[in-house]
Amino acid sequence: MTAENSVPAVSIRIFFTSDTLDEEGIPSIYRSYQISGRAALPNEAPSGYGVAKVAPLSDDAPALVPDEVPAPGGAEGAIAAAIEQLKMLNPGLECKGA
């Protein structure tokens, strides 16, 4: 991909933890995700939309299917929509880093 046709991306890392701690004070459930958002290309979604790609970083973190989330509001809107989907995928866990 060349510089003139690349699409700027925003990337964040979030994680979900349980309230229950192990003997060492570490949450018994820890699930980490990398979310990269960018403006949608014309053939992907309507103008003004963004696309977020979600990658689980923890072995036990359930993956979003599909792993791309289109949403209005550019990259930030798509990332926010992906976070909401991950919250539904990880019920009862606290979301941090968002």
Side-chain angles (χ1 to χ4, degrees), residues 68-86:
E68 290 189 341
V69 178
E76 292 80 11
I79 288 172
I83 291 170
E84 289 307 311
Q85 288 188 25
L86 287 171

Side-chain angles (χ1 to χ4, degrees), residues 38-51 70-75:
R38 60 175 173 73
L41 299 174
N43 62 338
E44 291 179 307
S47 178
Y49 270 57
V51 176

Side-chain angles (χ1 to χ4, degrees), residues 26-85:
I26 298 170
S28 59
I29 298 174
Y30 179 89
R31 297 174 179 168
S32 180
Y33 295 88
Q34 181 76 32
I35 306 172
S36 298
R38 60 175 173 73
L41 299 174
N43 62 338
E44 291 179 307
S47 178
Y49 270 57
V51 176
K53 178 139 176 100
V54 179
L57 300 177
S58 304
D59 289 338
D60 67 337
L64 276 185
V65 178
D67 66 349
E68 290 189 341
V69 178
E76 292 80 11
I79 288 172
I83 291 170
E84 289 307 311
Q85 288 188 25

